[in-house]
Amino acid sequence: MAGPSKKKIKLSEAVDKEDKKLDSFLQWCAKEDFQLNPKVHVGREGSCAQYGMVAQEELEEGECLFKVDKSAVLSTETTEIAHLLKEGAASLHGDSLHGDSGWVPQILALMYEFTNPNSRWRPYLQLVPDFSQLDQPMFWTEDEIERDLCNTGIPEASSSDLTKMKLEYTSLALPFIRKHRHIFSEEVHSFELYKRMVAFIMAYSFFEPVSDEGQRDEDGRGDEDGQGDEGGREDEGGKSSLPLMVPMADILNHVAKNNAQLEWDTDCLRMVTTRTVAAVDIPMQVVLEEARRVAGPDDAQLLEEKWQFLEDQGAVSESGSFIAGMEGILTEEEVCESFKVLFMSEEEFREHQEKEGCCDCCASEEERSLSYDQLPDLPEAWRSLLAAAARLCMGKYRNTLQTNEQLLAKESWGKLSRRQQWSLLVCYGQQKLLHRIITSCLPEASQ
């Protein structure tokens, strides 16, 4: 894998001129011994965010964009109040300061560093977008969310996040703030600031991979990208990794289609080029709803028994979803197991029940691929149900796929607000994946 230039950052090559904030940040990066690939340029021009990294020459897959020492990462271990966070965790009976999300210590660290004029990370925190520009749905009105994001799954997730956020602030963060009044203030370090810090983490943070043994995976191979925005990562033993703020990396993380991922080494982090991934959920209840619609009167009771069996086996759940990505169905195991059971004869199902989910047909299903290229090879009944469920999901969006394509045209796009533009991209991306499922399941696709 190609590495970055081993020279320190040259401001004349890497940064826009006459930008004091960016100049200060790049000087700080040079002081912290960041190493930047000479093929990239950091600035506003060519970036869809406030600041960004743009390739000035072709970059090959796997090429390193920059390298940063772990000591320059803003985390609960490097913050100036690291000792207080450790003491706080101990005084609150171990790891309870982490709460359910695992974010409270990192949020407190960010609140302190952001409001501290002498913070080591001041040049970095001055560069990131104004927090008023972090415009996740948690800051939208209920009318905006329901109007523009209905049936995307986002309104429910946003409401749940806000409830949990408020609970963790009042029960964990606020007592810590009150205990350390010499550096915190309830007026300054309010719930509104807390919420902005959560937005900052959601938009920009990364997670250090956790290995199977519950230890941090020092070679960075325990996680595909080390990137995330929903809660602390946990291994099977319950060990979690807190979100980390990685200067320079976050100007790429802020953009969904960034074509880059973070790799973790023992003492440093590298950002390397990669491919992008998008996904859409097909609620399991939608599949059940469609299966009920096509089932005959004599099969209705058997269908309910099959679905209950799948719930008992953990293959489906009331709030679960089957997930499709850019290459095909990502939840292959769940889809294969569910569809296999749904289309069993009563005799096959009774035998399957007796063997608690194990039968002779299982081996043949284990190797089944659900990539878009392979969907035409599925049994006709499977394709019919999958396509019908995808159509049902398509019909629940506010606009059709064709209408959204028209709204993406330059003359229409410019008339939309920023929130409407973001909503349009979310809905359109999901619709395109659903459309891909439908077309891959058509009878002519199998010929």
Side-chain angles (χ1 to χ4, degrees), residues 173-201:
L174 191 55
F176 184 90
I177 290 169
R178 288 170 174 168
K179 182 178 180 180
H180 302 285
R181 296 181 185 276
H182 60 295
I183 56 173
F184 284 101
S185 162
E186 287 186 51
E187 182 178 353
V188 174
H189 302 95
S190 63
F191 178 66
E192 285 306 309
L193 179 62
Y194 186 91
K195 194 162 64 170
R196 293 292 175 187
M197 294 299 139
V198 172
F200 184 28
I201 291 176

Coordinates of all heavy atoms in Angstrom, one line a residue, residues 173-201:
A173 N -24.2 13.3 32.8 CA -23.4 14.5 32.5 C -23.6 15.6 33.5 O -22.6 16.2 33.9 CB -23.7 15.0 31.0
L174 N -24.8 16.0 33.8 CA -25.1 17.1 34.6 C -24.5 16.9 36.0 O -23.9 17.9 36.6 CB -26.6 17.4 34.7 CG -27.0 18.7 35.3 CD1 -26.4 19.9 34.7 CD2 -28.6 18.8 35.3
P175 N -24.7 15.8 36.7 CA -24.0 15.6 38.0 C -22.5 15.8 37.9 O -21.9 16.3 38.8 CB -24.4 14.1 38.4 CG -25.7 13.9 37.7 CD -25.5 14.6 36.4
F176 N -21.9 15.3 36.8 CA -20.4 15.5 36.6 C -20.1 17.0 36.5 O -19.1 17.5 37.1 CB -20.0 14.7 35.4 CG -18.5 14.7 35.2 CD1 -17.7 13.8 35.7 CD2 -17.9 15.7 34.4 CE1 -16.3 13.8 35.5 CE2 -16.5 15.8 34.1 CZ -15.7 14.8 34.7
I177 N -20.9 17.7 35.7 CA -20.7 19.1 35.5 C -20.8 19.9 36.8 O -20.0 20.8 37.2 CB -21.7 19.7 34.5 CG1 -21.4 19.1 33.1 CG2 -21.7 21.2 34.5 CD1 -22.4 19.4 32.1
R178 N -21.8 19.5 37.6 CA -22.0 20.2 38.9 C -20.9 19.9 39.9 O -20.5 20.7 40.7 CB -23.3 19.8 39.5 CG -24.5 20.4 38.8 CD -25.8 19.7 39.2 NE -27.0 20.4 38.6 CZ -28.2 19.9 38.6 NH1 -28.5 18.8 39.3 NH2 -29.2 20.6 38.1
K179 N -20.3 18.7 39.8 CA -19.2 18.3 40.7 C -18.0 19.1 40.4 O -17.1 19.3 41.3 CB -19.0 16.8 40.6 CG -17.9 16.3 41.5 CD -17.8 14.8 41.4 CE -16.7 14.3 42.4 NZ -16.5 12.8 42.3
H180 N -17.8 19.5 39.2 CA -16.5 20.1 38.7 C -16.8 21.6 38.3 O -16.5 21.9 37.1 CB -15.8 19.3 37.7 CG -15.5 17.9 38.1 ND1 -14.5 17.6 38.9 CD2 -16.1 16.7 37.8 CE1 -14.4 16.3 39.1 NE2 -15.4 15.7 38.4
R181 N -17.4 22.3 39.2 CA -17.8 23.7 38.8 C -16.6 24.6 38.5 O -16.7 25.7 38.0 CB -18.6 24.3 39.9 CG -20.0 23.6 40.1 CD -20.8 24.3 41.2 NE -22.0 23.6 41.5 CZ -23.1 23.7 40.9 NH1 -23.2 24.5 39.8 NH2 -24.2 23.0 41.2
H182 N -15.4 24.2 38.9 CA -14.2 25.0 38.7 C -13.8 25.0 37.2 O -13.1 25.9 36.7 CB -13.0 24.5 39.5 CG -12.6 23.1 39.2 ND1 -13.4 22.0 39.5 CD2 -11.4 22.6 38.7 CE1 -12.8 20.9 39.2 NE2 -11.6 21.2 38.7
I183 N -14.3 24.1 36.4 CA -14.0 24.1 35.0 C -15.3 23.9 34.1 O -15.2 24.1 32.9 CB -13.0 22.9 34.6 CG1 -13.6 21.6 35.1 CG2 -11.7 23.1 35.2 CD1 -12.8 20.4 34.6
F184 N -16.4 23.6 34.8 CA -17.7 23.5 34.0 C -18.7 24.5 34.6 O -18.6 25.0 35.7 CB -18.2 22.1 34.2 CG -17.6 21.1 33.3 CD1 -16.6 20.2 33.9 CD2 -17.9 21.0 31.9 CE1 -16.0 19.2 33.1 CE2 -17.2 20.0 31.2 CZ -16.3 19.2 31.7
S185 N -19.6 24.8 33.7 CA -20.7 25.7 34.1 C -22.0 25.2 33.5 O -22.1 24.9 32.3 CB -20.5 27.2 33.6 OG -21.6 27.9 33.6
E186 N -23.1 25.1 34.4 CA -24.4 24.6 33.9 C -24.9 25.6 32.8 O -25.6 25.1 31.8 CB -25.4 24.6 35.0 CG -25.1 23.4 36.0 CD -26.3 23.3 37.0 OE1 -27.5 23.3 36.5 OE2 -26.0 23.3 38.2
E187 N -24.6 26.8 32.9 CA -25.1 27.8 31.9 C -24.4 27.6 30.5 O -25.0 27.6 29.5 CB -24.9 29.2 32.4 CG -25.4 30.3 31.4 CD -25.2 31.7 32.0 OE1 -24.8 31.8 33.1 OE2 -25.5 32.6 31.2
V188 N -23.1 27.4 30.6 CA -22.3 27.2 29.4 C -22.4 25.8 28.8 O -22.6 25.6 27.6 CB -20.8 27.6 29.6 CG1 -19.9 27.3 28.4 CG2 -20.6 29.0 30.0
H189 N -22.2 24.9 29.7 CA -22.3 23.4 29.3 C -23.7 22.9 29.5 O -23.9 22.0 30.2 CB -21.2 22.7 30.1 CG -19.8 23.2 30.0 ND1 -19.3 24.1 30.9 CD2 -18.9 23.0 29.1 CE1 -18.1 24.4 30.5 NE2 -17.8 23.8 29.4
S190 N -24.6 23.5 28.7 CA -26.0 23.2 28.8 C -26.4 22.0 28.0 O -25.5 21.4 27.2 CB -26.8 24.4 28.4 OG -26.5 24.6 27.0
F191 N -27.6 21.6 28.0 CA -28.1 20.5 27.2 C -28.0 20.8 25.7 O -27.8 20.0 24.9 CB -29.5 20.1 27.5 CG -30.1 19.0 26.7 CD1 -29.6 17.7 26.7 CD2 -31.1 19.3 25.8 CE1 -30.1 16.7 25.9 CE2 -31.7 18.3 25.0 CZ -31.1 17.0 25.0
E192 N -28.2 22.1 25.4 CA -28.1 22.5 24.0 C -26.7 22.3 23.5 O -26.5 21.9 22.3 CB -28.5 24.0 23.8 CG -30.0 24.2 23.9 CD -30.7 23.4 22.9 OE1 -30.4 23.4 21.7 OE2 -31.7 22.7 23.3
L193 N -25.7 22.7 24.3 CA -24.3 22.4 23.9 C -24.0 20.9 23.8 O -23.3 20.4 22.9 CB -23.3 23.1 24.8 CG -21.8 22.9 24.5 CD1 -21.4 23.5 23.2 CD2 -20.9 23.5 25.6
Y194 N -24.5 20.2 24.8 CA -24.4 18.7 24.8 C -24.9 18.1 23.5 O -24.3 17.3 22.9 CB -25.2 18.2 26.0 CG -25.0 16.7 26.3 CD1 -24.0 16.2 27.1 CD2 -25.9 15.8 25.7 CE1 -23.9 14.9 27.4 CE2 -25.8 14.4 25.9 CZ -24.8 14.0 26.8 OH -24.7 12.6 27.1
K195 N -26.1 18.6 23.1 CA -26.7 18.1 21.9 C -25.9 18.5 20.6 O -25.7 17.7 19.7 CB -28.1 18.7 21.7 CG -29.0 18.0 20.7 CD -30.5 18.3 20.9 CE -30.8 19.8 20.7 NZ -32.3 20.0 20.6
R196 N -25.3 19.6 20.6 CA -24.4 20.0 19.5 C -23.1 19.1 19.5 O -22.7 18.8 18.4 CB -23.9 21.5 19.7 CG -25.1 22.5 19.5 CD -25.6 22.5 18.1 NE -26.8 23.4 18.0 CZ -27.5 23.5 16.9 NH1 -27.2 22.8 15.8 NH2 -28.6 24.3 16.8
M197 N -22.7 18.8 20.6 CA -21.5 17.9 20.7 C -21.9 16.5 20.2 O -21.1 15.8 19.5 CB -20.9 17.8 22.1 CG -20.4 19.1 22.6 SD -19.0 19.7 21.6 CE -19.3 21.4 21.6
V198 N -23.1 16.0 20.5 CA -23.6 14.8 20.0 C -23.6 14.8 18.4 O -23.2 13.9 17.7 CB -24.9 14.4 20.5 CG1 -25.5 13.2 19.8 CG2 -24.8 14.1 22.0
A199 N -24.1 16.0 17.9 CA -24.2 16.1 16.5 C -22.8 16.1 15.9 O -22.6 15.6 14.8 CB -24.9 17.5 16.2
F200 N -21.9 16.7 16.5 CA -20.5 16.7 16.1 C -19.9 15.3 16.0 O -19.3 14.9 15.0 CB -19.6 17.6 17.1 CG -18.2 17.8 16.7 CD1 -17.8 17.7 15.4 CD2 -17.2 18.0 17.7 CE1 -16.5 17.9 15.0 CE2 -15.9 18.2 17.4 CZ -15.5 18.2 16.0
I201 N -20.2 14.5 17.0 CA -19.7 13.1 17.0 C -20.4 12.3 15.9 O -19.8 11.6 15.2 CB -20.0 12.5 18.4 CG1 -19.1 13.1 19.5 CG2 -19.7 11.0 18.3 CD1 -19.3 12.6 20.9

